[in-house]
DNA sequence: ATGCGGTGCCGCCAGA
DNA sequence: CATCTGGCGGCACCGC
C-alpha cells in the first residue's frame, strides 16, 4: 500500500498541505467502501519539516509534523507543498537555494524510483536540484518568466495544469494541488477511484475532464488588455445560441476580419471560431451537468443544428461523449452511499 | 460514416 | 525604420 511523505516549510500555504491530504482521505473512504476486507486505509502518510518542529504557514495556521525530514526514508511518493510567494520570484529562489541540503536528497529519492510531486512554487525546488532538466514542467503562470530565466534547460510549459515525466510531477498555480493529488490517487488507486474522489469533492469538472490526460490551458484565462478582443469575447458569449459569423462580428466591431483574427490570436492564442466553439461546449457541459434537457435541445441551445456534428465537437473538446459526460458529472450523491445501500 | 458547399484562417503584400 | 491594418487567394475544415 502506498506510503506518502509530505514536506512542509515555514511560510508555506496551509491548503497546499491540507488540501491534498483531504483528497487522500476521501479516496481512502471510497476505497474502504469498495473493498470487502477494508481493514487498512489505502494511503498512509507522514508530514515532515526541516527542523521536525511544527510549521507556521503564511496565513498563521500552524501545521503539526510527524518529524524531521529523513533523507533515507522509504516512501512511494514525496509531496512538496508550495511556498507562498507574496514577495515575488526572488523570494522563491532565495527560499529554494536555502534548502540546498534537500537537493541531494531529492536526487537520491528520484533514482530510487520515488514519485515526486511538486505544487506551484515547489517546482522551483525540483528545478534547483536539476531534476527537471530536459523534462517537461509547469509552475504558477505568473512565475513562468523568472523560472525560465533561471532554469533554461527545463522544458517549461506554463500553460499546463499538470506535467509528468519519469515520476516527476509538477502542478501549476496554487489550487492545482487538487489535480496533483488526484493524479496521485489515480496513479496508486486507479482511474475509477480518482473519478469518484473528484466527483465527491466537487472538484471543478472542467479541469477534471482533462485532468488525467489532457491539460486545460491556463493561457486561455490569462488576462489580456486588448479592448477590441474583450468586446469581441462579450459578443460571442452573448449569442452562443446563434450561428457564428465572422463577417458579422467584425462588422459590429468596425474592424476587418483579418485584424480581428490577428488580435484574437495575439491576445488569446486562439481564433474567434475556436473561442466560440470552446464557449459553446462549455455551456453544453453546464447544461448537461445541471439540467435533464435532451441532447437535441442542448445541441440547439448552443448553436448547432446537427446533433452528429455537435457530438463530434463535444468529444473532441472533452474526450467524452455528451452521454458519458452527463453520466460522469451530474450525480449529486456521494458515490459510496449510492453503491452501499 | 460520408460527401460537399461555404467560409474561417493564414501567408503574403501594399499602404498608413 | 518598426508596427499596425486591410485586401486577396488558396486551402483546410466547419457544419449541414
Amino acid at each position: 500500500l502506498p506510503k506518502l511523505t509530505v514536506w512542509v516549510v515555514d511560510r508555506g500555504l496551509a491548503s497546499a498541505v491540507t488540501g491534498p491530504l483531504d483528497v487522500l482521505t476521501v479516496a481512502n473512504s471510497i476505497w474502504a467502501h469498495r473493498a470487502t476486507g477494508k481493514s487498512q486505509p489505502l494511503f498512509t502518510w507522514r508530514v515532515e519539516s526541516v527542523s521536525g518542529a511544527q510549521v507556521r504557514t503564511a496565513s498563521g495556521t500552524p501545521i503539526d509534523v510527524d518529524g524531521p525530514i529523513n533523507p533515507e526514508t522509504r516512501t512511494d511518493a514525496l509531496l512538496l507543498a508550495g511556498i507562498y510567494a507574496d514577495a515575488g520570484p526572488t523570494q522563491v529562489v532565495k527560499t529554494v537555494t536555502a534548502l540546498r541540503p534537500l537537493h541531494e536528497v531529492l536526487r537520491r529519492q528520484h533514482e530510487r524510483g520515488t514519485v515526486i510531486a511538486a505544487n506551484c512554487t515547489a517546482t522551483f525546488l525540483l528545478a534547483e536540484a536539476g531534476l527537471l532538466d530536459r523534462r517537461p514542467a509547469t509552475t504558477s503562470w505568473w512565475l513562468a518568466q523568472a523560472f525560465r530565466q533561471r532554469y533554461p534547460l527545463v522544458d517549461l510549459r506554463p500553460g499546463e495544469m499538470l506535467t509528468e515525466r519519469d515520476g516527476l510531477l509538477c502542478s501549476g498555480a496554487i489550487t492545482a494541488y487538487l489535480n496533483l493529488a488526484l493524479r496521485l490517487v489515480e496513479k496508486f488507486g486507479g482511474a475509477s477511484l480518482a473519478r469518484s474522489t473528484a466527483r465527491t469533492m466537487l472538484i471543478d469538472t472542467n479541469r477534471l475532464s482533462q485532468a488525467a490526460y489532457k491539460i486545460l490551458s491556463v493561457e486561455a484565462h490569462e488576462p489580456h488588455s486588448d479592448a477590441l478582443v474583450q468586446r469581441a469575447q462579450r459578443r460571442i458569449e452573448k449569442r452562443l445560441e446563434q450561428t457564428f459569423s465572422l463577417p458579422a462580428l467584425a462588422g459590429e466591431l468596425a474592424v476587418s476580419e483579418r485584424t480581428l483574427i490577428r488580435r484574437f490570436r495575439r491576445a488569446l492564442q486562439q481564433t474567434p471560431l475556436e473561442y466560440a466553439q470552446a464557449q459553446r461546449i462549455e455551456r453544453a457541459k453546464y447544461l448537461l451537468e445541471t439540467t435533464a434537457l435532451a441532447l437535441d435541445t442542448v445541441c440547439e441551445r448552443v448553436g448547432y443544428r446537427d446533433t452528429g456534428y455537435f457530438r463530434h465537437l463535444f468529444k473532441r473538446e472533452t474526450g467524452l461523449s455528451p452521454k458519458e459526460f452527463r453520466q460522469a458529472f451530474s450525480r449529486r450523491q456521494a458515490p459510496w452511499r449510492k453503491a452501499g445501500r
Side-chain angles (χ1 to χ4, degrees):
Chain A
L1 294 178
K3 181 172 172 295
L4 275 58
T5 305
V6 185
W7 287 1
V8 299
V9 295
D10 282 317
R11 305 272 308 144
L13 283 162
S15 65
V17 180
T18 60
L21 292 182
D22 284 344
V23 172
L24 298 178
T25 302
V26 171
N28 273 347
S29 301
I30 298 172
W31 187 78
H33 272 82
R34 284 184 179 177
T36 42
K38 63 173 165 188
S39 51
Q40 287 181 331
L42 173 61
F43 292 103
T44 53
W45 57 81
R46 249 180 88 79
V47 180
E48 299 177 344
S49 68
V50 174
S51 67
Q54 187 188 67
V55 156
R56 193 168 178 78
T57 59
S59 62
T61 308
I63 290 194
D64 286 331
V65 306
D66 300 310
I69 289 173
N70 172 9
E72 296 305 325
T73 188
R74 307 288 299 183
T75 187
D76 294 296
L78 268 175
L79 186 64
L80 314 183
I83 308 143
Y84 190 47
D86 56 342
T90 48
Q91 183 198 12
V92 178
V93 170
K94 214 171 122 191
T95 309
V96 158
T97 47
L99 294 171
R100 181 162 298 282
L102 297 182
H103 301 169
E104 181 54 32
V105 179
L106 284 171
R107 283 191 290 267
R108 257 205 322 278
Q109 286 289 347
H110 173 66
E111 273 168 33
R112 187 182 285 174
T114 306
V115 171
I116 307 180
N119 172 237
C120 192
T121 47
T123 57
F124 279 69
L125 190 58
L126 280 185
E128 196 69 31
L131 285 170
L132 294 179
D133 290 350
R134 283 171 298 281
R135 291 196 173 105
T138 188
T139 191
S140 300
W141 59 267
W142 66 87
L143 293 169
Q145 202 180 353
F147 188 98
R148 193 165 270 150
Q149 262 171 21
R150 186 165 176 85
Y151 314 110
L153 291 178
V154 178
D155 175 15
L156 184 72
R157 305 177 183 182
E160 302 199 359
M161 173 87 75
L162 191 70
T163 62
E164 176 175 6
R165 175 78 57 86
D166 303 330
L168 296 163
L169 284 73
C170 298
S171 63
I174 301 169
T175 60
Y177 57 65
L178 293 173
N179 298 71
L180 186 65
L182 268 181
R183 176 70 189 123
L184 289 176
V185 171
E186 186 185 28
K187 224 171 158 54
F188 293 104
S192 157
L193 182 63
R195 258 201 312 279
S196 299
T197 305
R199 215 186 288 147
T200 302
M201 298 185 73
L202 288 181
I203 292 173
D204 191 303
T205 55
N206 180 20
R207 311 202 304 180
L208 172 68
S209 64
Q210 324 192 45
Y213 312 104
K214 232 175 112 189
I215 309 299
L216 179 70
S217 170
V218 173
E219 268 138 358
H221 299 301
E222 249 178 88
H224 65 85
S225 54
D226 191 325
L228 173 72
V229 175
Q230 284 170 3
R231 282 193 297 143
Q233 286 176 274
R234 296 296 101 63
R235 287 178 185 263
I236 289 171
E237 288 156 14
K238 204 171 285 180
R239 315 194 222 86
L240 284 184
E241 69 287 348
Q242 292 163 34
T243 51
F244 175 83
S245 163
L246 183 67
L249 186 62
E252 287 174 45
L253 298 168
V255 288
S256 70
E257 300 173 26
R258 188 75 190 82
T259 296
L260 183 58
I261 290 168
R262 216 165 8 212
R263 299 271 288 271
F264 231 91
R265 180 159 286 296
R266 211 167 48 196
L268 296 169
Q269 296 82 46
Q270 250 181 344
T271 69
L273 182 63
E274 278 170 356
Y275 183 80
Q277 285 177 335
Q279 293 300 313
R280 288 166 162 188
I281 297 303
E282 215 47 49
R283 173 79 59 84
K285 280 154 79 175
Y286 175 77
L287 292 173
L288 287 169
E289 275 179 75
T290 60
T291 74
L293 295 174
L295 182 60
D296 286 354
T297 315
V298 172
C299 174
E300 200 172 337
R301 288 265 188 106
V302 298
Y304 292 105
R305 324 218 51 210
D306 180 351
T307 318
Y309 185 68
F310 169 71
R311 297 169 57 87
H312 163 76
L313 257 192
F314 192 92
K315 181 136 193 174
R316 194 185 71 185
E317 294 285 318
T318 66
L320 299 173
S321 75
K323 183 189 162 78
E324 287 170 333
F325 183 89
R326 176 172 262 164
Q327 208 165 1
F329 299 116
S330 69
R331 304 225 176 120
R332 289 299 121 130
Q333 239 178 339
W336 62 79
R337 293 202 184 158
K338 187 163 257 185
R341 194 203 55 84

